[in-house]
Amino acid sequence: IVSRKWRRHACTACRWLKDVLLPNASIFEPGCGSGANLLWLGQQGFRRLYGSDIEGSALELGQNLASLLSLPLEVWEDDSMNPVRMPEKLDAILSVNWLYHIPNASFGDFLGRYRDSLKIGGYLACDMVTRHYDSIPGNQWHTKDRELPVEQRRPSEYTIRLDPEEVRSIAVRHGFAALRSTCFTLSQPQRAVYLLRRVE
């Protein structure tokens, strides 16, 4: 939560949602962790905020902070890749800083799974590590393990890497229009942020 302000990809995605949504919009963040993004949106006046995460202690922290700030926040424990509970008729979904950490995850599968939770015309703000990271020495290893002997290194925690053209193509195939994007070229790894809209 303290470091959220340094996570430009998360801040940008939230700011874009604030710009396009009305105050009564319903916003859901799968993989919300302790809810820092949702709490920020609550401080901007949004009151229909929902989140899920696989880590119960993080959700408890977020709920306690929401209470301290007198912000409405409904969160529950769930696997965001295989959710049991899916909100319906949402105005927006926020998905930052988690999907590309999941082994064998697919951006297309994610869009297919969550699309029907959005109203037609609803927004999805997300981020993605770009393929630029493939050119970074040691990119195949977990960033915390690069100084270890090879046999002790874990595979990279960045399991999905897509360039903007690929993200836009996948979005179109799954019934989304890409409205806006930006790339943080100096971040490590390089990330791009997207604002998509459900069109069918």
Side-chain angles (χ1 to χ4, degrees):
I1 290 175
V2 173
S3 65
R4 180 187 178 274
K5 62 185 177 183
W6 305 113
R7 295 175 177 255
R8 293 188 300 164
H9 53 290
C11 294
T12 298
C14 291
R15 192 171 62 250
W16 285 354
L17 288 180
K18 176 183 177 287
D19 291 345
V20 297
L21 295 171
L22 296 173
N24 66 341
S26 54
I27 306 171
F28 173 51
E29 183 180 11
C32 70
S34 55
N37 296 316
L38 293 170
L39 294 173
W40 183 86
L41 288 164
Q43 291 174 318
Q44 309 312 304
F46 294 98
R47 292 293 177 261
R48 298 169 63 200
L49 302 171
Y50 310 95
S52 69
D53 199 272
I54 201 165
E55 182 55 59
S57 59
L59 295 170
E60 183 179 359
L61 172 60
Q63 196 68 72
N64 290 339
L65 289 170
S67 296
L68 285 171
L69 295 168
S70 300
L71 294 174
L73 176 64
E74 184 179 341
V75 293
W76 58 92
E77 196 168 330
D78 207 348
D79 179 352
S80 298
M81 288 305 298
N82 296 290
V84 173
R85 178 178 172 186
M86 293 278 285
E88 297 179 349
K89 298 181 180 178
L90 293 164
D91 294 293
I93 292 174
L94 173 66
S95 173
V96 290
N97 206 42
W98 71 274
L99 181 63
Y100 42 75
H101 291 303
I102 307 298
N104 303 313
S106 158
F107 183 59
D109 289 348
F110 170 78
L111 293 181
R113 183 173 290 112
Y114 282 92
R115 180 191 58 223
D116 291 341
S117 291
L118 282 170
K119 298 174 182 176
I120 294 176
Y123 296 92
L124 189 150
C126 62
D127 72 328
M128 184 57 60
V129 172
T130 73
R131 290 191 185 275
H132 176 267
Y133 193 57
D134 294 345
S135 65
I136 302 299
N139 74 86
Q140 71 272 35
W141 306 117
H142 196 288
T143 51
K144 294 181 179 179
D145 296 350
R146 289 184 185 163
E147 302 305 317
L148 296 175
V150 172
E151 64 274 9
Q152 295 178 22
R153 297 177 192 172
R154 294 168 290 174
S156 174
E157 68 271 41
Y158 301 110
T159 62
I160 308 175
R161 303 165 190 185
L162 298 171
D163 282 334
E165 306 77 38
E166 295 173 288
V167 168
R168 291 186 195 100
S169 176
I170 293 168
V172 168
R173 288 201 307 270
H174 287 84
F176 286 88
L179 302 182
R180 193 170 180 181
S181 68
T182 191
C183 187
F184 297 108
T185 57
L186 299 180
S187 66
Q188 188 67 273
Q190 188 183 84
R191 289 179 175 90
V193 181
Y194 303 90
L195 183 66
L196 311 179
R197 192 171 196 180
R198 183 183 171 187
V199 293
E200 59 173 295

